[in-house]
Amino acid sequence: MEINRQFKLEVLNDYEAMSNAAADQIIELLHHKPNAIICIAGGDTPVGLMNNLVEAYRQNKVSFNKCRFIQLDEWVGLDSNDKGSCYDYLNTYLFDPLRIPEENIYSFDAKASNLLGECRKMDEYLNEEKGIDLIVLGIGQNGHLGFNEPGEDPAKNCHIVELDEITKQVGEKYFEDGASVPLSKGITLGLKQILEAEKTVLIASGEAKASIVKEFWYGEVSRRNPASLLKTHGNCSVMIDYAASSGL
Ligand code: F6R
């Protein structure tokens, strides 16, 4: 697969600068498309960006009245009430402070008995809405995007995933109280839907990401490193902080 020349890498001084730059992408989009469909990963990396969005909203620099959010992924068996779930991150740092009405949030029920039904509902929603305007992704230490683990088929829509060992190990950081959390499966948007987004933004911060960022940057485009597929996307910005760039 060919690397698209629109692909852009920015190394920002620190986490704050990276978060600011990524938040600006969303604010800019909302200025020209107020009803945009936005997808932001859960997890630690986007917290600063979400804080920036809330700050911009409080200063009346942007309105979130009309935009819609869709969920990228979730641990199977968890929902919004579970501390550390993907939804919990989005709700705590974004939806709640921005007072986003429920009807403007399209999420998975990862506790549903019919998980495949949840996947098909999300597929239908995205089909009807003609896809995502902007997606902000984190990168797993194994290169995963959402819960699309190494080796994943890039042609898939939403699906249920057996989580990679690295994802399970690293994922324990979200559940500090040691509560026994079933970290074995995930529900996720597929790579097809991610790569069909109008604009993709990949963010990475800290030493722990330096090695996968290096692999992403110098390595070939391959399903072994799902993030590398972004290099074929026509409108992708990669924003990393200095610490995450130490292998470049
Ligand atoms: C979470 C998600 C994951 C994370 C990735 C990085 O919703 O989609 O792909 O973005 O595992 O996680 P952090 O940001 O916690 O390092």
Side-chain angles (χ1 to χ4, degrees), residues 53-114:
L53 292 178
V54 171
E55 196 46 41
Y57 162 78
R58 291 191 174 139
Q59 293 175 10
N60 284 324
K61 289 184 178 157
V62 61
S63 160
F64 290 87
N65 277 353
K66 297 196 175 116
C67 71
R68 278 85 40 88
F69 288 95
I70 77 155
Q71 194 176 3
L72 174 60
D73 54 3
E74 189 56 274
W75 308 95
V76 165
L78 301 191
D79 67 16
S80 49
N81 299 316
D82 292 297
K83 202 91 205 97
S85 67
C86 299
Y87 192 95
D88 175 55
Y89 267 87
L90 293 163
N91 201 36
T92 305
Y93 296 104
L94 199 68
F95 301 155
D96 195 33
L98 292 180
R99 298 197 190 90
I100 304 290
E102 258 177 45
E103 63 269 24
N104 289 353
I105 303 170
Y106 207 84
S107 60
F108 295 112
D109 176 1
K111 278 185 170 155
S113 53
N114 181 3

Short mmCIF file of all heavy atoms in Angstrom, two decimals, residues 53-114:
data_model
loop_
_atom_site.label_atom_id
_atom_site.label_comp_id
_atom_site.label_asym_id
_atom_site.label_seq_id
_atom_site.Cartn_x
_atom_site.Cartn_y
_atom_site.Cartn_z
N LEU A 53 -10.84 21.26 25.18
CA LEU A 53 -12.15 21.51 24.55
C LEU A 53 -13.13 22.12 25.55
O LEU A 53 -13.88 23.05 25.23
CB LEU A 53 -12.72 20.20 23.99
CG LEU A 53 -11.99 19.59 22.79
CD1 LEU A 53 -12.65 18.29 22.36
CD2 LEU A 53 -11.95 20.57 21.61
N VAL A 54 -13.09 21.61 26.78
CA VAL A 54 -14.00 22.12 27.82
C VAL A 54 -13.65 23.58 28.11
O VAL A 54 -14.54 24.44 28.24
CB VAL A 54 -13.93 21.23 29.08
CG1 VAL A 54 -14.71 21.87 30.23
CG2 VAL A 54 -14.46 19.83 28.77
N GLU A 55 -12.37 23.88 28.19
CA GLU A 55 -11.92 25.25 28.43
C GLU A 55 -12.40 26.18 27.30
O GLU A 55 -12.91 27.28 27.56
CB GLU A 55 -10.38 25.25 28.52
CG GLU A 55 -9.74 26.48 29.12
CD GLU A 55 -10.42 26.95 30.40
OE1 GLU A 55 -10.79 26.10 31.25
OE2 GLU A 55 -10.59 28.18 30.54
N ALA A 56 -12.25 25.73 26.06
CA ALA A 56 -12.67 26.55 24.92
C ALA A 56 -14.18 26.79 24.95
O ALA A 56 -14.66 27.89 24.65
CB ALA A 56 -12.27 25.85 23.61
N TYR A 57 -14.93 25.77 25.36
CA TYR A 57 -16.39 25.89 25.48
C TYR A 57 -16.75 26.92 26.56
O TYR A 57 -17.61 27.79 26.36
CB TYR A 57 -16.95 24.51 25.82
CG TYR A 57 -18.34 24.47 26.38
CD1 TYR A 57 -19.45 24.61 25.56
CD2 TYR A 57 -18.54 24.28 27.75
CE1 TYR A 57 -20.73 24.57 26.08
CE2 TYR A 57 -19.82 24.24 28.28
CZ TYR A 57 -20.90 24.38 27.45
OH TYR A 57 -22.17 24.35 27.97
N ARG A 58 -16.03 26.86 27.70
CA ARG A 58 -16.33 27.79 28.80
C ARG A 58 -16.00 29.22 28.42
O ARG A 58 -16.61 30.15 28.91
CB ARG A 58 -15.56 27.38 30.06
CG ARG A 58 -16.13 26.07 30.61
CD ARG A 58 -15.64 25.71 31.99
NE ARG A 58 -16.37 24.53 32.45
CZ ARG A 58 -15.83 23.51 33.11
NH1 ARG A 58 -14.55 23.53 33.41
NH2 ARG A 58 -16.58 22.49 33.48
N GLN A 59 -15.04 29.37 27.52
CA GLN A 59 -14.69 30.72 27.07
C GLN A 59 -15.49 31.13 25.82
O GLN A 59 -15.14 32.11 25.15
CB GLN A 59 -13.20 30.78 26.74
CG GLN A 59 -12.32 30.63 27.96
CD GLN A 59 -10.83 30.58 27.59
OE1 GLN A 59 -10.45 30.83 26.46
NE2 GLN A 59 -10.02 30.23 28.57
N ASN A 60 -16.54 30.37 25.54
CA ASN A 60 -17.41 30.66 24.38
C ASN A 60 -16.68 30.70 23.05
O ASN A 60 -17.08 31.43 22.14
CB ASN A 60 -18.14 32.01 24.56
CG ASN A 60 -19.26 31.86 25.54
OD1 ASN A 60 -19.92 30.81 25.56
ND2 ASN A 60 -19.46 32.87 26.35
N LYS A 61 -15.62 29.91 22.94
CA LYS A 61 -14.88 29.91 21.68
C LYS A 61 -15.44 28.87 20.71
O LYS A 61 -15.08 28.86 19.54
CB LYS A 61 -13.40 29.60 21.94
CG LYS A 61 -12.67 30.73 22.64
CD LYS A 61 -11.21 30.42 22.77
CE LYS A 61 -10.48 31.58 23.42
NZ LYS A 61 -9.24 31.17 24.05
N VAL A 62 -16.27 27.98 21.21
CA VAL A 62 -16.81 26.92 20.36
C VAL A 62 -18.11 26.41 20.98
O VAL A 62 -18.29 26.47 22.19
CB VAL A 62 -15.78 25.77 20.21
CG1 VAL A 62 -15.44 25.12 21.54
CG2 VAL A 62 -16.23 24.72 19.21
N SER A 63 -19.01 25.97 20.09
CA SER A 63 -20.26 25.40 20.58
C SER A 63 -20.32 23.92 20.20
O SER A 63 -19.92 23.53 19.10
CB SER A 63 -21.43 26.16 19.96
OG SER A 63 -22.58 25.36 20.04
N PHE A 64 -20.84 23.13 21.13
CA PHE A 64 -20.98 21.69 20.87
C PHE A 64 -22.46 21.31 20.75
O PHE A 64 -22.81 20.15 20.85
CB PHE A 64 -20.32 20.89 22.00
CG PHE A 64 -18.81 21.00 22.00
CD1 PHE A 64 -18.19 22.05 22.67
CD2 PHE A 64 -18.03 20.10 21.31
CE1 PHE A 64 -16.80 22.17 22.66
CE2 PHE A 64 -16.65 20.22 21.29
CZ PHE A 64 -16.04 21.26 21.97
N ASN A 65 -23.32 22.33 20.56
CA ASN A 65 -24.77 22.12 20.52
C ASN A 65 -25.23 21.09 19.51
O ASN A 65 -26.15 20.34 19.76
CB ASN A 65 -25.46 23.42 20.05
CG ASN A 65 -25.63 24.35 21.19
OD1 ASN A 65 -25.36 23.94 22.31
ND2 ASN A 65 -26.03 25.58 20.89
N LYS A 66 -24.59 21.14 18.35
CA LYS A 66 -25.14 20.35 17.24
C LYS A 66 -24.31 19.14 16.89
O LYS A 66 -24.73 18.30 16.10
CB LYS A 66 -25.25 21.24 16.00
CG LYS A 66 -26.19 22.40 16.18
CD LYS A 66 -26.55 23.02 14.84
CE LYS A 66 -27.59 24.09 15.02
NZ LYS A 66 -27.08 25.41 14.63
N CYS A 67 -23.10 19.05 17.41
CA CYS A 67 -22.25 17.96 16.95
C CYS A 67 -22.66 16.64 17.62
O CYS A 67 -23.34 16.63 18.63
CB CYS A 67 -20.77 18.26 17.19
SG CYS A 67 -20.29 18.21 18.90
N ARG A 68 -22.28 15.56 16.98
CA ARG A 68 -22.57 14.23 17.51
C ARG A 68 -21.27 13.51 17.81
O ARG A 68 -20.28 13.69 17.08
CB ARG A 68 -23.36 13.40 16.49
CG ARG A 68 -24.84 13.63 16.42
CD ARG A 68 -25.32 14.75 15.55
NE ARG A 68 -24.68 14.95 14.28
CZ ARG A 68 -25.03 14.35 13.13
NH1 ARG A 68 -25.98 13.46 13.11
NH2 ARG A 68 -24.43 14.65 12.00
N PHE A 69 -21.28 12.72 18.87
CA PHE A 69 -20.09 11.94 19.22
C PHE A 69 -20.40 10.46 19.06
O PHE A 69 -21.47 10.01 19.45
CB PHE A 69 -19.68 12.19 20.67
CG PHE A 69 -19.09 13.56 20.88
CD1 PHE A 69 -19.88 14.61 21.30
CD2 PHE A 69 -17.75 13.80 20.64
CE1 PHE A 69 -19.34 15.88 21.49
CE2 PHE A 69 -17.20 15.06 20.81
CZ PHE A 69 -17.99 16.11 21.24
N ILE A 70 -19.45 9.74 18.51
CA ILE A 70 -19.64 8.30 18.50
C ILE A 70 -18.48 7.63 19.23
O ILE A 70 -17.35 8.14 19.26
CB ILE A 70 -19.84 7.70 17.09
CG1 ILE A 70 -18.55 7.60 16.35
CG2 ILE A 70 -20.86 8.43 16.27
CD1 ILE A 70 -18.69 6.53 15.32
N GLN A 71 -18.80 6.52 19.83
CA GLN A 71 -17.80 5.83 20.65
C GLN A 71 -16.90 4.97 19.76
O GLN A 71 -17.38 4.32 18.82
CB GLN A 71 -18.52 4.95 21.68
CG GLN A 71 -17.59 4.47 22.76
CD GLN A 71 -18.31 3.67 23.84
OE1 GLN A 71 -19.52 3.43 23.75
NE2 GLN A 71 -17.56 3.25 24.84
N LEU A 72 -15.63 4.96 20.08
CA LEU A 72 -14.67 4.17 19.30
C LEU A 72 -14.67 2.70 19.73
O LEU A 72 -14.68 1.79 18.90
CB LEU A 72 -13.27 4.78 19.48
CG LEU A 72 -12.09 4.03 18.87
CD1 LEU A 72 -12.25 3.88 17.37
CD2 LEU A 72 -10.78 4.75 19.19
N ASP A 73 -14.63 2.49 21.04
CA ASP A 73 -14.48 1.11 21.51
C ASP A 73 -14.85 0.99 22.98
O ASP A 73 -15.02 1.99 23.66
CB ASP A 73 -13.05 0.61 21.26
CG ASP A 73 -11.99 1.53 21.86
OD1 ASP A 73 -12.35 2.52 22.50
OD2 ASP A 73 -10.80 1.25 21.67
N GLU A 74 -14.98 -0.23 23.42
CA GLU A 74 -15.27 -0.48 24.85
C GLU A 74 -14.81 -1.88 25.23
O GLU A 74 -14.75 -2.78 24.38
CB GLU A 74 -16.79 -0.33 25.11
CG GLU A 74 -17.19 -0.35 26.57
CD GLU A 74 -16.47 0.72 27.40
OE1 GLU A 74 -15.33 0.43 27.86
OE2 GLU A 74 -17.01 1.81 27.58
N TRP A 75 -14.46 -2.02 26.50
CA TRP A 75 -14.16 -3.36 27.03
C TRP A 75 -15.48 -4.11 27.15
O TRP A 75 -16.43 -3.59 27.75
CB TRP A 75 -13.55 -3.24 28.44
CG TRP A 75 -12.37 -2.31 28.53
CD1 TRP A 75 -12.41 -0.99 28.91
CD2 TRP A 75 -10.99 -2.61 28.27
NE1 TRP A 75 -11.14 -0.46 28.88
CE2 TRP A 75 -10.25 -1.43 28.50
CE3 TRP A 75 -10.32 -3.76 27.86
CZ2 TRP A 75 -8.87 -1.36 28.33
CZ3 TRP A 75 -8.94 -3.68 27.70
CH2 TRP A 75 -8.23 -2.51 27.94
N VAL A 76 -15.55 -5.30 26.59
CA VAL A 76 -16.80 -6.07 26.70
C VAL A 76 -17.05 -6.38 28.18
O VAL A 76 -16.16 -6.81 28.91
CB VAL A 76 -16.74 -7.37 25.86
CG1 VAL A 76 -17.85 -8.34 26.25
CG2 VAL A 76 -16.84 -7.02 24.37
N GLY A 77 -18.27 -6.09 28.61
CA GLY A 77 -18.66 -6.34 30.00
C GLY A 77 -18.69 -5.07 30.83
O GLY A 77 -19.13 -5.08 31.98
N LEU A 78 -18.22 -3.95 30.27
CA LEU A 78 -18.23 -2.70 31.04
C LEU A 78 -19.16 -1.68 30.38
O LEU A 78 -19.42 -1.76 29.18
CB LEU A 78 -16.83 -2.08 31.10
CG LEU A 78 -15.70 -2.90 31.71
CD1 LEU A 78 -14.48 -2.01 31.91
CD2 LEU A 78 -16.11 -3.51 33.03
N ASP A 79 -19.62 -0.72 31.18
CA ASP A 79 -20.38 0.37 30.59
C ASP A 79 -20.03 1.69 31.26
O ASP A 79 -19.07 1.77 32.03
CB ASP A 79 -21.88 0.08 30.59
CG ASP A 79 -22.47 0.03 31.99
OD1 ASP A 79 -21.81 0.53 32.93
OD2 ASP A 79 -23.59 -0.47 32.13
N SER A 80 -20.86 2.69 30.99
CA SER A 80 -20.55 4.06 31.45
C SER A 80 -20.43 4.15 32.97
O SER A 80 -19.78 5.06 33.49
CB SER A 80 -21.65 5.00 30.97
OG SER A 80 -22.90 4.44 31.27
N ASN A 81 -21.06 3.22 33.69
CA ASN A 81 -20.98 3.29 35.15
C ASN A 81 -19.71 2.68 35.70
O ASN A 81 -19.45 2.76 36.90
CB ASN A 81 -22.18 2.57 35.78
CG ASN A 81 -23.46 3.22 35.35
OD1 ASN A 81 -23.55 4.45 35.34
ND2 ASN A 81 -24.44 2.41 34.95
N ASP A 82 -18.95 2.02 34.85
CA ASP A 82 -17.73 1.36 35.33
C ASP A 82 -16.55 2.31 35.21
O ASP A 82 -16.18 2.71 34.11
CB ASP A 82 -17.47 0.09 34.52
CG ASP A 82 -18.50 -0.97 34.80
OD1 ASP A 82 -18.58 -1.42 35.95
OD2 ASP A 82 -19.24 -1.33 33.87
N LYS A 83 -15.98 2.65 36.37
CA LYS A 83 -14.81 3.54 36.39
C LYS A 83 -13.70 2.92 35.55
O LYS A 83 -13.40 1.74 35.69
CB LYS A 83 -14.38 3.68 37.85
CG LYS A 83 -13.59 4.87 38.18
CD LYS A 83 -14.42 6.08 38.63
CE LYS A 83 -13.69 7.38 38.36
NZ LYS A 83 -14.04 8.06 37.13
N GLY A 84 -13.12 3.69 34.67
CA GLY A 84 -12.02 3.18 33.86
C GLY A 84 -12.46 2.67 32.49
O GLY A 84 -11.62 2.40 31.64
N SER A 85 -13.80 2.55 32.29
CA SER A 85 -14.24 2.13 30.95
C SER A 85 -13.95 3.25 29.96
O SER A 85 -13.73 4.41 30.34
CB SER A 85 -15.76 1.81 30.96
OG SER A 85 -16.51 2.99 31.17
N CYS A 86 -13.95 2.90 28.68
CA CYS A 86 -13.69 3.92 27.65
C CYS A 86 -14.74 5.02 27.74
O CYS A 86 -14.43 6.22 27.66
CB CYS A 86 -13.70 3.29 26.26
SG CYS A 86 -12.45 2.02 26.04
N TYR A 87 -16.00 4.61 27.92
CA TYR A 87 -17.07 5.60 27.99
C TYR A 87 -16.90 6.50 29.21
O TYR A 87 -17.16 7.71 29.15
CB TYR A 87 -18.45 4.91 28.03
CG TYR A 87 -19.58 5.88 27.81
CD1 TYR A 87 -20.11 6.06 26.54
CD2 TYR A 87 -20.09 6.65 28.85
CE1 TYR A 87 -21.13 6.97 26.32
CE2 TYR A 87 -21.11 7.56 28.65
CZ TYR A 87 -21.62 7.72 27.39
OH TYR A 87 -22.63 8.63 27.17
N ASP A 88 -16.45 5.90 30.31
CA ASP A 88 -16.27 6.68 31.54
C ASP A 88 -15.29 7.84 31.31
O ASP A 88 -15.49 8.96 31.78
CB ASP A 88 -15.79 5.75 32.66
CG ASP A 88 -15.47 6.51 33.93
OD1 ASP A 88 -16.33 7.26 34.42
OD2 ASP A 88 -14.32 6.39 34.41
N TYR A 89 -14.21 7.55 30.57
CA TYR A 89 -13.24 8.62 30.26
C TYR A 89 -13.92 9.76 29.51
O TYR A 89 -13.78 10.94 29.84
CB TYR A 89 -12.10 8.07 29.38
CG TYR A 89 -10.90 7.61 30.19
CD1 TYR A 89 -10.82 6.32 30.69
CD2 TYR A 89 -9.85 8.48 30.44
CE1 TYR A 89 -9.72 5.90 31.42
CE2 TYR A 89 -8.74 8.08 31.16
CZ TYR A 89 -8.68 6.79 31.64
OH TYR A 89 -7.59 6.38 32.37
N LEU A 90 -14.67 9.38 28.46
CA LEU A 90 -15.31 10.42 27.63
C LEU A 90 -16.35 11.19 28.42
O LEU A 90 -16.47 12.40 28.32
CB LEU A 90 -15.96 9.76 26.40
CG LEU A 90 -14.94 9.15 25.42
CD1 LEU A 90 -15.61 8.17 24.48
CD2 LEU A 90 -14.25 10.26 24.62
N ASN A 91 -17.09 10.46 29.25
CA ASN A 91 -18.15 11.09 30.01
C ASN A 91 -17.59 12.05 31.05
O ASN A 91 -18.05 13.17 31.20
CB ASN A 91 -18.98 9.98 30.68
CG ASN A 91 -20.34 10.49 31.05
OD1 ASN A 91 -20.92 11.30 30.32
ND2 ASN A 91 -20.83 10.07 32.19
N THR A 92 -16.55 11.59 31.76
CA THR A 92 -15.98 12.39 32.84
C THR A 92 -15.33 13.66 32.31
O THR A 92 -15.51 14.74 32.86
CB THR A 92 -14.91 11.56 33.60
OG1 THR A 92 -15.54 10.36 34.03
CG2 THR A 92 -14.35 12.31 34.78
N TYR A 93 -14.54 13.51 31.23
CA TYR A 93 -13.74 14.65 30.77
C TYR A 93 -14.38 15.47 29.68
O TYR A 93 -13.92 16.56 29.38
CB TYR A 93 -12.35 14.15 30.30
CG TYR A 93 -11.56 13.54 31.43
CD1 TYR A 93 -11.41 12.17 31.55
CD2 TYR A 93 -10.99 14.36 32.40
CE1 TYR A 93 -10.70 11.61 32.60
CE2 TYR A 93 -10.28 13.82 33.46
CZ TYR A 93 -10.15 12.44 33.55
OH TYR A 93 -9.45 11.90 34.61
N LEU A 94 -15.46 14.94 29.09
CA LEU A 94 -16.02 15.66 27.94
C LEU A 94 -17.55 15.80 27.98
O LEU A 94 -18.06 16.91 28.09
CB LEU A 94 -15.60 14.94 26.65
CG LEU A 94 -15.69 15.74 25.39
CD1 LEU A 94 -14.67 16.87 25.37
CD2 LEU A 94 -15.48 14.87 24.16
N PHE A 95 -18.25 14.68 27.91
CA PHE A 95 -19.70 14.76 27.75
C PHE A 95 -20.36 15.47 28.93
O PHE A 95 -21.23 16.32 28.75
CB PHE A 95 -20.32 13.36 27.61
CG PHE A 95 -19.80 12.56 26.44
CD1 PHE A 95 -19.84 11.16 26.44
CD2 PHE A 95 -19.28 13.19 25.32
CE1 PHE A 95 -19.38 10.43 25.38
CE2 PHE A 95 -18.81 12.46 24.23
CZ PHE A 95 -18.85 11.08 24.27
N ASP A 96 -19.93 15.11 30.13
CA ASP A 96 -20.55 15.69 31.31
C ASP A 96 -20.24 17.19 31.43
O ASP A 96 -21.15 18.02 31.49
CB ASP A 96 -20.10 14.88 32.54
CG ASP A 96 -20.97 15.17 33.72
OD1 ASP A 96 -22.17 15.42 33.52
OD2 ASP A 96 -20.45 15.20 34.86
N PRO A 97 -18.94 17.59 31.40
CA PRO A 97 -18.67 19.03 31.49
C PRO A 97 -19.25 19.84 30.33
O PRO A 97 -19.61 21.00 30.51
CB PRO A 97 -17.14 19.14 31.50
CG PRO A 97 -16.59 17.77 31.42
CD PRO A 97 -17.71 16.78 31.45
N LEU A 98 -19.38 19.23 29.15
CA LEU A 98 -19.95 19.98 28.02
C LEU A 98 -21.47 19.88 27.96
O LEU A 98 -22.10 20.49 27.11
CB LEU A 98 -19.39 19.46 26.68
CG LEU A 98 -17.92 19.68 26.37
CD1 LEU A 98 -17.56 19.10 25.01
CD2 LEU A 98 -17.58 21.16 26.40
N ARG A 99 -22.04 19.10 28.87
CA ARG A 99 -23.49 18.85 28.90
C ARG A 99 -24.02 18.40 27.53
O ARG A 99 -24.98 18.94 26.99
CB ARG A 99 -24.25 20.10 29.35
CG ARG A 99 -23.88 20.52 30.74
CD ARG A 99 -24.89 21.48 31.33
NE ARG A 99 -24.35 22.01 32.56
CZ ARG A 99 -23.62 23.12 32.62
NH1 ARG A 99 -23.35 23.81 31.53
NH2 ARG A 99 -23.15 23.53 33.78
N ILE A 100 -23.33 17.42 26.96
CA ILE A 100 -23.78 16.88 25.66
C ILE A 100 -25.03 16.03 25.90
O ILE A 100 -25.01 15.11 26.72
CB ILE A 100 -22.68 15.98 25.03
CG1 ILE A 100 -21.35 16.74 24.87
CG2 ILE A 100 -23.14 15.38 23.70
CD1 ILE A 100 -21.32 17.83 23.84
N PRO A 101 -26.15 16.36 25.22
CA PRO A 101 -27.36 15.56 25.44
C PRO A 101 -27.17 14.11 24.95
O PRO A 101 -26.44 13.88 23.98
CB PRO A 101 -28.43 16.27 24.61
CG PRO A 101 -27.72 17.22 23.72
CD PRO A 101 -26.32 17.42 24.24
N GLU A 102 -27.83 13.20 25.66
CA GLU A 102 -27.66 11.77 25.33
C GLU A 102 -27.94 11.45 23.87
O GLU A 102 -27.28 10.59 23.27
CB GLU A 102 -28.61 10.93 26.19
CG GLU A 102 -27.89 10.27 27.34
CD GLU A 102 -28.84 9.51 28.21
OE1 GLU A 102 -29.69 8.77 27.67
OE2 GLU A 102 -28.71 9.65 29.45
N GLU A 103 -28.93 12.17 23.30
CA GLU A 103 -29.29 11.85 21.90
C GLU A 103 -28.17 12.23 20.92
O GLU A 103 -28.20 11.82 19.76
CB GLU A 103 -30.64 12.46 21.48
CG GLU A 103 -30.70 13.96 21.49
CD GLU A 103 -31.19 14.53 22.83
OE1 GLU A 103 -31.05 13.85 23.85
OE2 GLU A 103 -31.70 15.67 22.82
N ASN A 104 -27.20 12.98 21.38
CA ASN A 104 -26.07 13.32 20.49
C ASN A 104 -24.84 12.44 20.73
O ASN A 104 -23.76 12.72 20.23
CB ASN A 104 -25.68 14.80 20.67
CG ASN A 104 -26.73 15.71 20.08
OD1 ASN A 104 -27.67 15.25 19.43
ND2 ASN A 104 -26.60 17.00 20.30
N ILE A 105 -25.05 11.39 21.52
CA ILE A 105 -23.94 10.46 21.78
C ILE A 105 -24.37 9.08 21.30
O ILE A 105 -25.41 8.56 21.73
CB ILE A 105 -23.62 10.38 23.29
CG1 ILE A 105 -23.29 11.77 23.84
CG2 ILE A 105 -22.46 9.40 23.54
CD1 ILE A 105 -23.19 11.82 25.37
N TYR A 106 -23.59 8.52 20.41
CA TYR A 106 -23.92 7.18 19.92
C TYR A 106 -22.87 6.21 20.44
O TYR A 106 -21.71 6.28 20.07
CB TYR A 106 -23.99 7.18 18.39
CG TYR A 106 -24.92 6.11 17.90
CD1 TYR A 106 -26.28 6.34 17.82
CD2 TYR A 106 -24.42 4.86 17.57
CE1 TYR A 106 -27.15 5.34 17.41
CE2 TYR A 106 -25.29 3.86 17.16
CZ TYR A 106 -26.64 4.11 17.09
OH TYR A 106 -27.49 3.11 16.69
N SER A 107 -23.32 5.34 21.36
CA SER A 107 -22.33 4.48 22.03
C SER A 107 -22.71 3.01 21.93
O SER A 107 -23.81 2.66 21.53
CB SER A 107 -22.22 4.89 23.51
OG SER A 107 -23.48 4.73 24.12
N PHE A 108 -21.76 2.17 22.31
CA PHE A 108 -22.01 0.72 22.35
C PHE A 108 -22.57 0.34 23.71
O PHE A 108 -22.18 0.94 24.71
CB PHE A 108 -20.68 -0.04 22.26
CG PHE A 108 -19.94 0.12 20.98
CD1 PHE A 108 -18.75 0.80 20.95
CD2 PHE A 108 -20.41 -0.47 19.82
CE1 PHE A 108 -18.02 0.92 19.78
CE2 PHE A 108 -19.70 -0.36 18.64
CZ PHE A 108 -18.50 0.33 18.62
N ASP A 109 -23.43 -0.66 23.76
CA ASP A 109 -23.74 -1.29 25.03
C ASP A 109 -22.89 -2.56 25.10
O ASP A 109 -23.26 -3.60 24.56
CB ASP A 109 -25.23 -1.63 25.13
CG ASP A 109 -25.54 -2.37 26.42
OD1 ASP A 109 -24.60 -2.58 27.22
OD2 ASP A 109 -26.71 -2.74 26.62
N ALA A 110 -21.75 -2.44 25.76
CA ALA A 110 -20.81 -3.57 25.79
C ALA A 110 -21.20 -4.61 26.83
O ALA A 110 -20.46 -5.56 27.08
CB ALA A 110 -19.39 -3.05 26.02
N LYS A 111 -22.39 -4.40 27.46
CA LYS A 111 -22.91 -5.41 28.38
C LYS A 111 -24.08 -6.15 27.74
O LYS A 111 -24.70 -7.01 28.37
CB LYS A 111 -23.40 -4.74 29.66
CG LYS A 111 -22.29 -4.44 30.65
CD LYS A 111 -22.84 -3.89 31.95
CE LYS A 111 -21.74 -3.83 33.00
NZ LYS A 111 -21.99 -2.84 34.02
N ALA A 112 -24.40 -5.79 26.50
CA ALA A 112 -25.58 -6.39 25.85
C ALA A 112 -25.38 -7.89 25.65
O ALA A 112 -24.24 -8.35 25.47
CB ALA A 112 -25.79 -5.72 24.49
N SER A 113 -26.49 -8.65 25.65
CA SER A 113 -26.34 -10.08 25.39
C SER A 113 -26.08 -10.30 23.90
O SER A 113 -25.40 -11.24 23.51
CB SER A 113 -27.57 -10.86 25.86
OG SER A 113 -28.70 -10.27 25.27
N ASN A 114 -26.60 -9.40 23.07
CA ASN A 114 -26.37 -9.52 21.63
C ASN A 114 -25.31 -8.48 21.18
O ASN A 114 -25.65 -7.41 20.66
CB ASN A 114 -27.70 -9.32 20.89
CG ASN A 114 -27.53 -9.45 19.38
OD1 ASN A 114 -26.44 -9.75 18.88
ND2 ASN A 114 -28.61 -9.23 18.66
#
